[in-house]
Amino acid sequence: MISISLCMIVKNEAHTLNNCLASVKGIPDEIIIVDTGSTDQTREIAKEWTDQVYDFSWTDDFSAARNASFQYATKQYILWLDADDILLPEQRSKLLQLKETLADHVDAVSMPYEIPQQIDRGVVSYTVRIRLVKRDKGFGWQGVVHEDLATDQPYQYLSSDIKVTHTKSTSGTAASPSRRNLDIYERHLARGYKLTVSDQFHYARECQQHHLYDQAIESYELCVDHPDVSLENQIFAMHKLATCYVQAGQPHKELELTLKALAKDVPYPAFSCRMGEHFLKQGHIEAAIHWYSTAYLHPMKERYNASVVDTAFQTWLPHEQLAMCYEMLGDAKQADTHRQWAGFYKMGITEKPYKLSKSSSGNTG
């Protein structure tokens, strides 16, 4: 059995920290918590779980704080979580089993990171993050915000299905998102910091969230054809860029980017839905049905799981649009079937009471 150090950085997380630590109780062999300036009861709660609570003077750099937490680790592997992350009971059992059975040659383990967007509609996005790393492989954090783990050493990698769930943050809402990350970027830029391509992508997302579309578009454009960006991440950047152009009042750019994305790789579900919308607006219902069906049926859509996945585009949204398409064709039975599927997904139900075949969806290819 491997040994695990859980390393966390926290600030004013009294409302979430206990739930996070309770969700992994009994799995870490040591818990290391680095506090970056809490003024609530975070430190007191942390000390109920571990005597390894350390202070870190905040420097507007998440990587610096996370790297500091890693320096205190003494066990064979390091697991990291944020204070508003949890493992649901089934996932905790999977992690415990992994701890008991992980082969010694594995140096890093990735886990899906599920991020609820609209709880009442079963809408989530998710990505895959490296969560567990062998301490002697020299993994460290890079990036001042939305930081990533990396190492210069070769390593053996395992992709697991253990889900980490992000609980809803209280630091902002969709209508009024927190400016924390954007302000950090802007302070670094003011000091002459040069954004890496990864920084450019995350900076673009922060700008888009705050309706700074010109800045967002400029940064996204630097990512979509960059040689250091994986094909899957290029496609996702194009998806975000297309949305940004629509939000900026340039909808003609959306079709241009959709066609460019389809020329690059197998259809990304969001671009399949965009093609469906394009044909729907033209009144070409059969073509719209083909593309909306492709969004949830395409066998290669899973390849984008290594990037950020907006699940709406491969779950309830295409089914909702297909219901409308079939209604326009006068096929009430198919319309009702897809409406039910959309409803199941919006309720967060993934196991359906019946199977929907390709032929019944209108996609016979």
Side-chain angles (χ1 to χ4, degrees), residues 167-181:
T167 57
K168 208 66 174 175
S169 172
T170 60
S171 61
T173 65
S176 180
S178 168
R179 280 191 58 94
R180 181 196 66 183
N181 293 343

Side-chain angles (χ1 to χ4, degrees), residues 10-298:
V10 298
K11 181 180 180 181
N12 293 335
E13 300 287 359
H15 59 296
T16 60
L17 181 58
N18 199 64
N19 286 341
C20 172
L21 293 173
S23 76
V24 293
K25 183 178 179 180
I27 294 178
D29 297 283
E30 67 177 357
I31 298 174
I32 293 157
I33 297 180
V34 168
D35 188 273
T36 63
S38 293
T39 56
D40 63 2
Q41 298 300 306
T42 296
R43 288 178 57 85
E44 288 73 16
I45 293 171
K47 287 179 178 179
E48 294 176 3
W49 289 90
T50 178
D51 58 0
Q52 291 185 268
V53 180
Y54 305 97
D55 292 319
F56 180 83
S57 297
W58 182 243
T59 59
D60 268 353
D61 188 332
F62 280 92
S63 284
R66 291 199 192 278
N67 285 330
S69 74
F70 274 31
Q71 294 303 309
Y72 293 107
T74 64
K75 303 305 178 183
Q76 186 181 6
Y77 285 83
I78 299 174
L79 171 72
W80 70 274
L81 292 170
D82 287 329
D84 51 4
D85 294 335
I86 61 169
L87 268 72
L88 297 174
E90 179 182 356
Q91 308 307 318
R92 180 191 176 277
S93 297
K94 289 181 181 180
L95 180 56
L96 185 58
Q97 182 179 21
L98 180 75
K99 179 181 179 181
E100 294 172 347
T101 60
L102 187 64
D104 186 64
H105 70 271
V106 176
D107 303 309
V109 179
S110 69
M111 302 179 191
Y113 189 37
E114 190 172 74
I115 309 164
Q117 302 293 323
Q118 299 178 40
I119 302 297
D120 58 336
R121 301 186 75 181
V123 178
V124 301
S125 66
Y126 63 90
T127 186
V128 175
R129 304 292 304 270
I130 294 178
R131 281 284 170 186
L132 187 70
V133 295
K134 191 173 285 185
R135 184 169 60 88
D136 64 9
K137 278 295 180 176
F139 280 90
W141 291 92
Q142 300 176 352
V144 294
V145 182
H146 299 294
E147 58 283 5
D148 292 306
L149 274 170
T151 181
D152 293 332
Q153 300 183 39
Y155 65 93
Q156 295 293 314
Y157 169 83
L158 174 68
S159 176
S160 82
D161 65 350
I162 302 169
K163 290 182 182 177
V164 176
T165 299
H166 177 75
T167 57
K168 208 66 174 175
S169 172
T170 60
S171 61
T173 65
S176 180
S178 168
R179 280 191 58 94
R180 181 196 66 183
N181 293 343
L182 182 61
D183 287 343
I184 290 174
Y185 277 126
E186 290 183 344
R187 286 194 291 269
H188 277 273
L189 288 168
R191 293 194 292 264
Y193 178 78
K194 300 298 183 184
L195 298 179
T196 66
V197 65
S198 178
D199 288 328
Q200 290 283 2
F201 173 71
H202 293 300
Y203 177 61
R205 296 185 73 185
E206 294 294 336
C207 288
Q208 183 176 9
Q209 190 176 32
H210 289 85
H211 313 298
L212 302 173
Y213 299 122
D214 289 343
Q215 294 98 307
I217 288 169
E218 181 180 358
S219 288
Y220 279 135
E221 290 281 12
L222 295 172
C223 301
V224 295
D225 291 312
H226 198 286
D228 293 337
V229 178
S230 70
L231 176 60
E232 291 80 9
N233 284 329
Q234 285 183 28
I235 298 294
F236 181 71
M238 292 170 73
H239 158 52
K240 301 301 289 186
L241 179 59
T243 302
C244 204
Y245 273 123
V246 172
Q247 293 170 323
Q250 302 179 62
H252 63 283
K253 290 282 191 177
E254 181 183 27
L255 181 59
E256 292 178 16
L257 282 162
T258 299
L259 295 174
K260 181 177 179 179
L262 294 173
K264 272 182 173 280
D265 197 19
V266 298
Y268 181 66
F271 285 115
S272 293
C273 287
R274 286 191 165 96
M275 286 302 298
E277 182 182 15
H278 167 74
F279 284 111
L280 187 59
K281 288 178 178 178
Q282 307 304 313
H284 196 338
I285 308 305
E286 291 83 0
I289 288 174
H290 168 82
W291 283 105
Y292 284 127
S293 299
T294 299
Y296 77 91
L297 284 172
H298 199 291

